[in-house]
Amino acid sequence: MPYQYLDDVATADIAFEAWGKTREDLFVSAADAVMNVMVEDLESIAAAHKRAISLQEETLEMLLFQFLQELVYYKDAEQLLLRVPKVAIRNQGGFLMLTAEARGEFLNPNKHRLNVDVKAVTMHRFKVTEERQGWKATVVLDI
Amino acid sequence: MAVPPEISKISDTVWELPVSFRQGMRVPARIYATEKLLKEMDETVFEQAANVAKLPGILKYAYCMPDGHWGYGFPIGGVAAMDAETGVISPGGIGFDINCGMRLVTTNLTYDQIRPHVAELVDRLFQRIPSGVGGKGFVKVSKNEFKRVVEEGAPWCVRNGYGWQEDLERTEEQGCMEGADAAKISEKAVERGYHQLGTLGSGNHYLEIQVAKPENIFNQELAAQFGITQPNQIVVMFHCGSRGFGHQVATDYLQIFLKVMESKYGLNVEDRELACAPFRSSEGQDYFAAMKCAVNMAFANRQVILHRIREVFSEVFGKTPQELGMHQVYDVAHNIAKLEEHVVDGKKRKVLVHRKGSTRAFAPGMKGIPEVYQRTGQPVIIGGSMETGSYLLAGVEGGRETFYSTAHGSGRTMSRHKAKTLFRGKDLLEKMRQRGIYVHAASYSGLAEEAGAAYKNIDDVINATEMAGISQRVVRFIPVGNVKG
């Protein structure tokens, strides 16, 4: 798994690190890390419905922040559990543009083993860095 | 875990970090804790309290309550009172779950009368009050009607048949914070929240059937005035908040504040979760009006849940809720900011008190508490871990030291991830059942994360607030049935 939950950060919440060879891979891993807090087995989420995600931000950090928020939004607004197989990020006119197609299905407690709800993505220690091996993000979720 | 050497002991339960602890601190930070609890706190609590002490307009001290632990921005258990004219408002000083809070209801049943029905009650409550990830509530409203709910709060519910007039009198702000303005909330917030009215949520949110054993009544007279009058009396306590709606309001304004904080107002903070704006600025006032909508949503949510609890008890015992003596004791927030009047250095001032994981604890005679509690002081409801117990306290005059604020719960000492690796939900459920606590949980792993051992000792926390003179113990409740979100 290209993400790992951290034991000793923000006691009542959940922190994770996610990685990717590219920025795009990192976003895909981080999305799974968020969803895996709520759903025990990500493989149990069938790709039955699609939602297009399109975002624009000035920084990569804010772009990831917004992107992860989308998953939390759909979970509440539509009861939709989503995974994002592919993300495209491009620079345009000083902005970073993200387009992605999220896929998933409606929450069903009989099918999906559920853990705890994610209330929000926090900005506490939120970080995206480029390292020798690729990209890494640190995120704290409010539970 | 290390307590910073710069800390000085003010009393057995008050510790102070001086302004010299970190550059930029405007006031000292004060930690309310016994030496034992202080030593158990993560180092980050001290750093976070120091960061709060740097916020413009902060008065007296940045406080941390005995249940304090590592949060985002503010520590959980954090209290900061800002000058209403020169100070800031910070969503991170309130939390994403705006008006996360507690409600307590009495019954006239005793443990012996309820014992054969605990499992049935818990199972029915679990069935009738949706909990866990996502979750649609049992009150269906349109998006437009939802906007009325968030402007009107619990009175909307009572008007629509969910509860009694007396419930409102016994709710902080009578269940509606004035000045809530739905024009200040996003459509996204409405979309996340409008079908969640009547849901418990997950994490540490729960609904418990508890018993007040005679040996756990610390003040007979106050207990009686709060409605705890007979040995082994059964009460119902629950903990939840403003759900996805409140979370989105906080998220929206966090981003707005991050954009204007530095460029427009020249404000710098140590942690982006401390993003803030001057309280009197347009952004500050917009957030305050939006926050009040979330506060009202939470009051409404707890109001409809109370109605459901009464229905379930009524069905199981074949009596009306009135016959079962199901009166609300009180409903109080522990994630909120409020404009209050306090005496600071001998002068009356309007202050904006942020309480994040801290409960307001007004003393007898203060404005803002119901007529029936004018002589007792405000009831303070403290939810403990699901295995150990919870408390009912009363506000006291000594609370003026902390802008009349006290603890809110046990406070975690172990991360969720660690708890999940140490405990198994199924085993925990079985062990709790053997010990006489019947649990029905939405998720086994969610249950494991809430194991009692992941929390501080609630008795230590509550004793510390009493020793410090900021609230007094009235009753300790033991859980016998638990619905875990």
Side-chain angles (χ1 to χ4, degrees):
Chain A
M1 273 187 311
Y3 55 88
Q4 159 191 318
Y5 298 104
L6 308 174
D7 260 346
D8 300 316
V9 179
T11 331
D13 301 309
I14 288 180
F16 69 83
E17 279 177 357
W19 307 273
K21 271 198 174 148
T22 62
R23 298 182 299 186
E24 288 80 0
D25 290 348
L26 169 70
F27 276 53
V28 170
S29 310
D32 270 353
V34 170
M35 199 47 62
N36 206 181
V37 169
M38 299 188 275
V39 183
E40 186 74 36
D41 178 12
L42 293 180
E43 299 303 319
S44 70
I45 305 173
H49 300 275
K50 294 175 186 172
R51 291 292 177 274
I53 297 177
S54 159
L55 299 164
Q56 174 184 314
E57 279 293 332
E58 283 177 38
T59 66
L60 194 62
E61 281 189 356
M62 286 315 288
L63 193 69
L64 179 63
F65 180 75
Q66 292 284 6
F67 172 68
L68 299 178
Q69 287 287 349
E70 289 292 299
L71 302 176
V72 178
Y73 165 79
Y74 280 113
K75 175 264 305 172
D76 278 338
E78 295 195 41
Q79 312 280 296
L80 200 49
L81 304 172
L82 294 171
R83 299 185 75 185
V84 189
K86 223 175 121 191
V87 167
I89 300 171
R90 60 195 163 86
N91 297 33
Q92 194 180 310
F95 284 99
L96 288 161
M97 322 280 284
L98 175 145
T99 47
E101 191 178 77
R103 294 174 191 179
E105 67 179 324
F106 296 109
L107 187 153
N108 173 1
N110 296 322
K111 182 180 177 195
H112 306 114
R113 262 176 63 208
L114 301 169
N115 294 332
V116 289
D117 211 355
V118 172
K119 289 177 180 168
V121 182
T122 82
M123 287 303 287
H124 180 56
R125 301 200 173 189
F126 195 95
K127 210 164 67 182
V128 179
T129 48
E130 186 173 12
E131 308 200 324
R132 238 193 295 168
Q133 305 287 324
W135 291 81
K136 184 177 131 182
T138 312
V139 180
V140 178
L141 302 170
D142 186 28
I143 299 302
Chain B
M1 302 188 195
V3 177
E6 295 90 336
I7 210 158
S8 63
K9 185 174 177 174
I10 305 295
S11 74
D12 283 346
T13 46
V14 182
W15 308 80
E16 185 171 309
L17 285 166
V19 288
S20 56
F21 174 59
R22 291 289 178 262
Q23 208 185 351
M25 283 172 70
R26 294 165 191 261
V27 294
R30 282 201 164 183
I31 321 287
Y32 280 68
T34 56
E35 192 161 0
K36 177 175 176 268
L37 288 169
L38 185 80
K39 285 182 173 163
E40 284 171 8
M41 284 182 181
D42 352 67
E43 282 165 62
T44 319
V45 168
F46 307 109
E47 295 300 331
Q48 291 188 325
N51 289 342
V52 172
K54 298 175 189 176
L55 294 174
I58 187 164
L59 298 167
K60 300 300 283 182
Y61 306 100
Y63 301 89
C64 183
M65 295 295 126
D67 49 338
H69 60 84
W70 185 345
Y72 43 86
F74 275 51
I76 308 299
V79 179
M82 310 301 185
D83 183 282
E85 299 311 316
T86 61
V88 294
I89 184 166
S90 172
I94 293 152
F96 285 96
D97 199 357
I98 297 166
N99 190 5
C100 186
M102 306 293 305
R103 192 174 279 220
L104 178 67
V105 191
T106 61
T107 72
N108 55 22
L109 300 162
T110 63
Y111 183 45
D112 283 340
Q113 289 172 310
I114 209 172
R115 200 183 336 221
H117 306 285
V118 170
E120 186 188 357
L121 281 166
V122 168
D123 291 342
R124 280 198 194 213
L125 288 165
F126 182 86
Q127 238 168 36
R128 303 281 300 278
I129 302 166
S131 61
V133 177
K136 282 195 175 179
F138 53 81
V139 179
K140 309 282 177 230
V141 290
S142 66
K143 288 182 196 169
N144 273 339
E145 191 64 21
F146 183 72
K147 289 180 185 170
R148 267 193 285 277
V149 174
V150 303
E151 287 189 343
E152 295 173 20
W156 180 94
C157 309
V158 172
R159 221 178 42 248
N160 284 277
Y162 298 98
W164 308 342
Q165 191 60 34
E166 67 166 57
D167 303 339
L168 301 179
E169 289 153 20
R170 294 167 178 217
T171 301
E172 184 178 4
E173 298 286 330
Q174 288 84 50
C176 176
M177 216 167 161
E178 247 177 73
D181 183 357
K184 305 298 181 191
I185 56 179
S186 68
E187 276 308 303
K188 251 187 161 170
V190 174
E191 285 161 11
R192 273 184 76 178
Y194 81 100
H195 48 62
Q196 289 188 330
L197 193 56
T199 55
L200 201 56
S202 92
N204 59 2
H205 292 169
Y206 67 83
L207 190 166
E208 266 182 5
I209 301 172
Q210 305 171 337
V211 56
K213 294 189 172 174
E215 65 267 31
N216 289 332
I217 309 276
F218 304 103
N219 187 320
Q220 204 90 40
E221 203 188 316
L222 285 184
Q225 296 196 51
F226 289 159
I228 314 296
T229 53
Q230 50 175 334
N232 298 313
Q233 190 174 334
I234 292 295
V235 299
V236 182
M237 183 185 281
F238 58 102
H239 176 215
C240 61
S242 50
R243 310 285 294 111
F245 173 69
H247 313 158
Q248 190 63 38
V249 168
T251 299
D252 290 340
Y253 279 90
L254 170 66
Q255 291 171 82
I256 293 171
F257 283 19
L258 279 172
K259 284 207 173 95
V260 298
M261 181 175 59
E262 207 177 335
S263 60
K264 194 167 169 188
Y265 300 111
L267 296 166
N268 281 296
V269 289
E270 298 290 330
D271 175 343
R272 279 176 290 184
E273 277 296 332
L274 288 173
C276 55
F279 179 56
R280 293 295 177 200
S281 68
S282 60
E283 292 86 357
Q285 288 297 301
D286 285 355
Y287 171 61
F288 198 45
M291 181 210 77
K292 289 172 177 176
C293 292
V295 167
N296 292 344
M297 155 62 184
F299 283 139
N301 193 29
R302 292 196 289 270
Q303 183 63 44
V304 298
I305 290 175
L306 166 62
H307 179 70
R308 260 289 143 91
I309 295 168
R310 284 179 176 145
E311 282 181 349
V312 168
F313 270 71
S314 191
E315 286 160 21
V316 170
F317 291 98
K319 288 183 175 176
T320 65
Q322 286 85 351
E323 285 167 340
L324 292 169
M326 299 190 74
H327 297 284
Q328 177 170 317
V329 178
Y330 201 53
D331 177 308
V332 65
H334 52 229
N335 278 4
I336 198 164
K338 295 183 78 173
L339 202 50
E340 296 170 358
E341 206 168 72
H342 291 276
V343 177
V344 183
D345 298 328
K347 274 204 289 196
K348 254 192 190 172
R349 284 168 86 161
K350 277 250 158 126
V351 297
L352 181 73
V353 187
H354 294 70
R355 296 187 181 93
K356 184 193 192 182
S358 165
T359 318
R360 188 188 75 170
F362 275 5
M366 283 178 74
K367 255 197 281 178
I369 54 178
E371 197 54 44
V372 286
Y373 300 135
Q374 277 296 318
R375 289 170 65 181
T376 58
Q378 180 209 305
V380 174
I381 308 161
I382 307 274
S385 83
M386 62 183 184
E387 289 190 81
T388 53
S390 299
Y391 275 87
L392 177 61
L393 316 178
V396 292
E397 194 38 52
R400 65 182 173 277
E401 260 192 52
T402 53
F403 293 92
Y404 296 97
S405 311
T406 189
H408 87 302
S410 301
R412 282 189 83 95
T413 51
M414 189 188 288
S415 74
R416 294 183 168 279
H417 184 242
K418 197 166 186 176
K420 216 161 86 170
T421 56
L422 287 180
F423 310 107
R424 281 192 59 226
K426 259 188 188 166
D427 297 345
L428 194 59
L429 184 123
E430 207 38 60
K431 274 187 197 147
M432 286 175 69
R433 281 187 184 176
Q434 282 165 14
R435 279 171 36 211
I437 310 169
Y438 182 85
V439 192
H440 197 143
S443 154
Y444 281 131
S445 58
L447 186 73
E449 291 182 14
E450 292 299 320
Y455 283 87
K456 299 181 198 198
N457 181 324
I458 181 90
D459 300 324
D460 287 354
V461 169
I462 299 310
N463 289 345
T465 74
E466 189 167 278
M467 282 164 67
I470 55 174
S471 50
Q472 65 169 317
R473 294 179 302 168
V474 180
V475 185
R476 182 184 200 275
F477 301 108
I478 307 292
V480 293
N482 177 303
V483 175
K484 181 73 210 61

